[in-house]
Amino acid sequence: MPELPEVETIVRGLQTRVAGDRIQSVWIGSRKQPLKSSAKKIVATLTDKQISRVHRMGKHIVFDLQNNAGAVNQSPEAQWIVHLGMTGRMLVCEPEAEAVKHTHLLASLASGRELRFIDARMFGRLAVVTPAKFDPGGVEPLDVDLATFAGLFRGRKTPIKSALLNQKLLRGVGNIYADEALARAGVRPRRRAASISRADLERLLSAIQAVLREAIEVGGSSVSDYVGADGEEGFFQLQHRVYGREGEPCLVCKTPIRRLVIAGRSSHYCPQCQK
DNA sequence: ACTATTTCCTGGATGC
DNA sequence: TGCATCCAGGAAATAG
């Protein structure tokens, strides 16, 4: 499931492989679920545009698009926004590569390569934004300062785990990294967000930033369908301390890791280390 | 204005 | 082996 580190890995791959390239033609499949903009508008907006830059906002991949090739300092005229949902993939392929099932969009590039959006479970979404002012809301966890971070939770009775997953507050953290960060910070996922001390919030922000940075460094966590833009897997799943480890011993104190459901999501924690 | 719950989807795992 | 059922979860929609 692509969260911030996985999307960042994909975006870096895309920026290297397709920035500066030009979209020549676009094919869109018949399934409507992945489309947040109409197929017609997506095709019209992408076709004959240069990809000036690929970057990330939260869990969204953002392609900046320009009409005029080579206009380096020009602000983008449009943006192509891709959210990978649970099982979405954005791959750079050779045209000869086999067209796998669940391919929903295919963009042919001037370089001869193709961009392919593939998503089995169809929680992923495609959209175009004109003018180019996409803003998903929330703050970037790797950029936010402690005061702003602490302010996100003021007055919130919801469990901290739910608050961390709320993309309108903090964008990019999903189920895996929320659990991993709470474990490192020693905070139980069910704690009411507003009840957490400043010191614990400071630890939590540090833990979030550390876990995200470490995960980016090894290409993200490959569980479920995640792969990078070139189809490569990540390795951070080997460093998970609590996620997916129900019943297994805590790496610090050997107490069995517990799992409970918060807001319909599995939450994993050590009952000894997390208070 | 918040918070909690339900819904959308399919492949892989599980159980009989 | 085969078939039914369950489970995973991001975020929008709905309900309270």
Side-chain angles (χ1 to χ4, degrees):
Chain A
M1 46 218 79
E3 304 180 25
L4 188 153
E6 290 76 35
V7 178
E8 180 66 27
T9 301
I10 291 168
V11 158
R12 289 180 183 184
L14 292 171
Q15 170 68 18
T16 302
R17 303 281 307 272
V18 305
D21 216 331
R22 176 171 283 266
I23 300 172
Q24 290 187 319
S25 61
V26 177
W27 170 89
I28 291 180
S30 55
R31 302 299 293 262
K32 291 284 181 287
Q33 288 91 335
L35 308 183
K36 280 186 81 178
S37 306
S38 70
K40 193 178 164 185
K41 188 179 178 192
I42 294 173
V43 171
T45 305
L46 299 192
T47 301
D48 216 27
K49 289 285 201 314
Q50 187 192 44
I51 300 168
S52 56
R53 184 169 77 111
V54 188
H55 56 111
R56 178 190 62 73
M57 296 181 85
K59 299 175 193 171
H60 300 266
I61 301 168
V62 181
F63 293 84
D64 285 349
L65 305 174
Q66 296 183 171
N67 270 320
N68 304 320
V72 178
N73 292 323
Q74 194 176 319
S75 59
E77 283 152 37
Q79 287 169 319
W80 176 24
I81 311 299
V82 179
H83 193 295
L84 298 171
M86 281 288 294
T87 52
R89 297 178 171 197
M90 180 61 72
L91 298 175
V92 181
C93 300
E94 298 302 321
E96 307 80 60
E98 186 189 356
V100 301
K101 198 176 169 185
H102 305 302
T103 300
H104 303 298
L105 179 145
L106 203 152
S108 299
L109 304 174
S111 63
R113 290 185 294 235
E114 288 178 354
L115 271 174
R116 297 185 187 183
F117 174 69
I118 300 149
D119 186 10
R121 228 165 285 182
M122 286 196 290
F123 281 7
R125 294 293 181 263
L126 303 173
V128 290
V129 180
T130 48
K133 290 184 175 170
F134 177 67
D135 178 12
V139 298
E140 281 290 335
L142 290 176
D143 298 339
V144 69
D145 59 85
L146 178 60
T148 306
F149 180 75
L152 299 176
F153 309 112
R154 210 160 287 142
R156 294 194 180 269
K157 295 176 184 156
T158 196
I160 185 64
K161 171 70 184 284
S162 299
L164 292 178
L165 295 180
N166 183 344
Q167 303 295 299
K168 294 300 172 200
L169 299 177
L170 194 66
R171 66 192 193 208
V173 173
N175 206 39
I176 294 173
Y177 297 104
D179 279 7
E180 292 298 315
L182 287 166
R184 292 187 184 209
V187 175
R188 286 205 188 194
R190 266 216 278 240
R191 284 274 302 280
R192 301 281 150 186
S195 77
I196 299 175
S197 69
R198 185 77 171 196
D200 276 350
L201 285 175
E202 189 168 359
R203 271 207 289 276
L204 182 55
L205 178 57
S206 297
I208 290 169
Q209 295 181 335
V211 79
L212 294 176
R213 287 203 182 98
E214 289 171 31
I216 289 169
E217 240 169 73
V218 295
S221 302
S222 280
V223 297
S224 181
D225 282 34
Y226 165 72
V227 291
D230 296 326
E232 79 284 9
E233 296 197 348
F235 295 96
F236 196 69
Q237 67 279 7
L238 303 174
Q239 293 178 55
H240 291 174
R241 300 184 189 180
V242 291
Y243 182 83
R245 298 192 63 241
E246 182 185 12
E248 293 174 40
C250 170
L251 300 178
V252 175
C253 72
K254 309 277 192 285
T255 304
I257 298 300
R258 277 190 204 161
R259 186 183 83 96
L260 48 81
V261 175
I262 299 170
R265 300 288 164 264
S266 286
S267 297
H268 313 76
Y269 72 101
C270 171
Q272 177 70 30
C273 298
Q274 294 173 249
K275 303 295 179 190

